[in-house]
C-alpha cells in the first residue's frame, strides 16, 4: 500500500501506527486513563480529517488499497467513512451553507454562541440522515459494488468495536475493561464525529457563501496546520476540493489578500476563546456577518430549507478507477476530471 503523494507517508504513520498504538496503550497500562485524554482527542480529530481527505482525494494508488484504508479509518472515526459522500461531497460542497445544504449553520438560529455551536452536532446529524439514507437506498438499487462497500464498512465499525470491548473485558475484567475501551477507542471516535461537525460550523458561520473567496473561515497557524494536516485552510478546499491537502498552504497564499481579514484567524483555540468566552462579556469579540448572509440570496427569491436530493450515480465507476491509475504525482482524480460545483468530487474511490 503505497501512497500516491509522498506527504501521505506521515498520514500513514498517524493512521497505521499512532492511532492503534495510543488506543491500545490503555489496555496495557490502565493508569493512563484520563491523563491521556488530550492525546486521544487529538488523534480522534485527525481520524476525522483523514476520513474527510480520503473522500476527496484517495490516498493510495489502487482501488483495493483505498477500500481497506476506508474501512480502517472507519474504526477510529466511529462511523463508516462513506457517509461523507452524500452529506459532504455531494451536498455541502455544492451548496456551501446556502439553502439545500443539510449542514447549514443557521437552520434554527442566526446567532453564533457556544450553545448554538456545541449543539450544532445534533442538529446537523439529524438533517444529514436524510441524504445518507437516500444515498444508501439508491446505492442498493443501482450500484451493488458501492452497496457492498457500505455494508462492509458498517460491519467493520460495529464488529471491531464490539471485539475491542470484549478484549478489554477479557484483559481487565468488566469494570476496568469497559473503561479502557471507553477511553481508548470510544471517546476519541465520538470526538471525531463531533469535532468534524463543529469545525464545519465555525468555518462557515457568518461567512458569505455568495462571495468568491469569503465563503469560508480559515485558521492559518503554521504549527496548527501541520498538526491537523492543513485542515485550517478551508477557502481553497472549497474552491479546489480535489486538491491534495499538502498543497493547501501554497494555494491559500495565492488568494489570502482577497479574503476578508476577519476570516483568516490564527488558531481554532484563539478563535473559540475570543468568540465563545470573551464574547459573552464583550461584543467586539463576537463574530459579525461578513458580506451577504446565506439566507439573503442576491435574486431575492424565497429560500427553501429542504435538503437537496443526492444520487449514487457514477460512484465506483470504472472511469474513476482508470483516472486513478494514470494520475500524475501530486494531483488527485477530481482535478483531472474538472468537476463542476467548485471542485466537488462526485466520483469516489469505492
Amino acid at each position: 500500500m503505497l501512497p500516491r503523494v509522498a506527504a501521505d507517508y506521515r498520514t500513514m504513520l498517524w493512521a497505521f501506527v499512532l492511532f492503534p498504538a495510543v488506543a491500545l496503550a490503555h489496555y496495557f497500562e490502565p493508569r493512563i486513563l484520563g491523563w491521556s485524554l488530550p492525546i486521544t482527542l487529538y488523534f480522534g480529530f485527525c481520524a476525522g480529517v483523514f476520513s474527510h481527505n480520503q473522500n476527496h482525494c484517495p490516498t493510495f494508488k489502487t482501488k483495493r488499497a483505498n477500500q481497506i484504508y476506508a474501512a480502517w479509518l472507519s474504526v477510529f472515526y466511529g462511523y463508516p467513512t462513506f457517509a461523507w459522500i452524500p452529506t459532504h461531497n455531494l451536498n455541502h460542497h455544492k451548496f456551501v451553507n446556502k439553502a439545500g445544504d443539510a449542514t447549514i449553520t443557521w437552520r434554527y438560529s442566526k446567532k453564533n454562541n457556544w450553545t448554538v455551536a456545541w449543539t450544532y452536532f445534533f442538529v446537523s446529524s439529524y438533517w444529514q440522515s436524510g441524504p445518507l439514507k437516500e444515498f444508501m437506498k439508491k446505492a442498493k438499487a443501482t450500484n451493488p459494488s458501492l452497496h457492498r462497500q457500505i455494508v462492509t464498512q458498517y460491519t467493520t465499525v460495529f464488529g471491531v468495536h464490539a471485539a475491542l470491548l470484549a478484549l478489554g473485558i477479557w484483559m481487565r475484567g468488566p469494570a476496568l475493561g469497559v473503561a479502557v475501551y471507553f477511553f481508548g477507542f470510544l471517546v476519541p471516535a465520538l470526538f471525531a464525529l463531533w469535532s468534524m461537525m463543529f469545525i464545519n460550523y465555525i468555518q462557515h458561520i457568518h461567512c458569505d457563501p455568495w462571495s468568491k473567496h469569503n465563503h469560508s473561515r480559515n485558521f492559518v497557524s503554521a504549527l496548527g496546520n501541520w498538526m491537523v494536516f492543513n485542515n485550517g485552510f478551508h477557502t481553497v478546499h472549497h474552491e479546489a476540493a480535489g486538491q491534495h491537502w499538502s498543497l493547501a498552504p501554497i494555494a491559500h497564499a495565492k488568494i489570502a489578500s482577497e479574503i476578508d481579514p476577519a476570516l483568516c484567524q490564527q488558531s481554532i483555540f484563539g478563535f473559540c476563546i475570543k468568540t465563545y468566552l470573551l464574547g459573552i462579556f464583550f461584543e467586539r469579540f463576537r463574530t459579525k456577518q461578513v458580506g451577504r448572509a446565506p439566507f439573503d440570496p442576491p435574486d431575492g427569491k424565497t429560500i427553501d430549507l429542504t435538503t437537496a436530493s443526492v444520487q449514487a450515480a457514477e460512484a465506483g465507476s470504472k472511469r474513476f478507477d482508470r483516472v486513478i491509475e494514470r494520475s500524475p504525482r501530486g494531483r488527485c482524480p477530481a482535478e483531472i476530471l474538472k468537476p463542476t460545483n467548485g471542485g466537488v468530487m462526485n466520483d469516489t474511490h469505492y
Side-chain angles (χ1 to χ4, degrees):
M1 291 176 63
L2 297 177
R4 298 178 55 255
V5 180
D8 276 319
Y9 280 110
R10 183 160 71 93
T11 300
M12 293 173 64
L13 173 63
W14 261 240
F16 293 124
V17 178
L18 298 181
F19 284 5
V22 170
L24 290 172
H26 296 78
Y27 289 65
F28 295 97
E29 185 48 84
R31 287 180 294 181
I32 69 174
L33 294 179
W35 296 101
S36 62
L37 195 59
I39 298 174
T40 57
L41 293 184
Y42 163 68
F43 284 119
F45 184 86
C46 287
V49 171
F50 293 178
S51 300
H52 167 265
N53 292 348
Q54 173 70 359
N55 279 291
H56 279 295
C57 185
T59 303
F60 297 100
K61 296 180 180 181
T62 67
K63 179 179 179 180
R64 181 60 176 167
N66 282 308
Q67 290 174 346
I68 294 171
Y69 182 54
W72 175 265
L73 285 179
S74 296
V75 173
F76 298 95
Y77 181 55
Y79 199 81
T81 59
F82 84 89
W84 285 93
I85 300 169
T87 61
H88 185 78
N89 295 43
L90 302 181
N91 179 263
H92 172 65
H93 269 267
K94 182 176 182 179
F95 296 98
V96 195
N97 206 33
K98 299 191 293 288
D101 187 346
T103 66
I104 55 176
T105 61
W106 47 277
R107 188 179 298 275
Y108 297 118
S109 175
K110 299 177 178 64
K111 297 179 180 180
N112 180 24
N113 55 46
W114 180 241
T115 301
V116 177
W118 83 264
T119 57
Y120 172 76
F121 169 81
F122 303 101
V123 174
S124 186
S125 296
Y126 174 81
W127 288 99
Q128 288 185 66
S129 65
L132 186 59
K133 292 175 182 177
E134 181 184 7
F135 184 79
M136 289 190 290
K137 182 178 179 180
K138 290 181 177 179
K140 184 177 182 179
T142 64
N143 195 327
S145 176
L146 173 59
H147 185 254
R148 283 194 297 272
Q149 290 302 313
I150 291 172
V151 172
T152 298
Q153 285 193 16
Y154 270 113
T155 304
T156 300
V157 172
F158 297 113
V160 170
H161 273 265
L164 290 167
L165 174 59
L167 176 64
I169 295 173
W170 177 75
M171 291 179 65
R172 297 295 175 180
L176 189 55
V178 171
V180 297
Y181 162 73
F182 181 79
F183 283 99
F185 285 94
L186 186 59
V187 168
L190 293 175
F191 183 73
L193 295 168
W194 180 87
S195 63
M196 288 301 98
M197 297 192 194
F198 175 74
I199 196 170
N200 178 74
Y201 176 86
I202 62 176
Q203 285 177 326
H204 288 290
I205 184 68
H206 288 165
C207 296
D208 180 0
W210 313 100
S211 167
K212 181 179 180 181
H213 296 307
N214 290 333
H215 47 74
S216 305
R217 181 173 286 103
N218 302 277
F219 301 99
V220 299
S221 164
L223 175 60
N225 276 293
W226 185 89
M227 294 287 290
V228 299
F229 296 75
N230 293 333
N231 192 255
F233 298 110
H234 206 57
T235 296
V236 294
H237 172 62
H238 268 280
E239 295 175 13
Q243 180 175 256
H244 192 266
W245 62 266
S246 62
L247 303 177
I250 296 174
H252 176 82
K254 292 179 180 179
I255 63 170
S257 62
E258 301 177 52
I259 302 173
D260 190 298
L263 299 181
C264 288
Q265 299 287 319
Q266 188 64 20
S267 73
I268 294 175
F269 293 113
F271 172 82
C272 290
I273 291 172
K274 288 188 298 181
T275 304
Y276 302 123
L277 180 58
L278 298 179
I280 297 174
F281 308 102
F282 307 102
E283 185 177 354
R284 65 191 178 94
F285 290 111
R286 302 169 195 168
T287 59
K288 307 294 190 301
Q289 177 64 49
V290 173
R292 184 181 290 272
F295 45 83
D296 182 22
D299 57 15
K301 292 183 178 179
T302 302
I303 59 174
D304 180 2
L305 295 187
T306 303
T307 299
S309 180
V310 297
Q311 296 181 359
E314 293 193 288
S317 68
K318 293 181 180 179
R319 179 169 71 98
F320 185 79
D321 296 337
R322 289 197 299 271
V323 169
I324 287 181
E325 292 171 1
R326 65 172 181 264
S327 297
R329 288 178 65 84
R331 298 182 66 197
C332 283
E335 294 179 81
I336 298 170
L337 292 173
K338 297 184 177 5
T340 57
N341 301 323
V344 180
M345 194 173 79
N346 291 329
D347 292 273
T348 78
H349 52 278
Y350 293 100

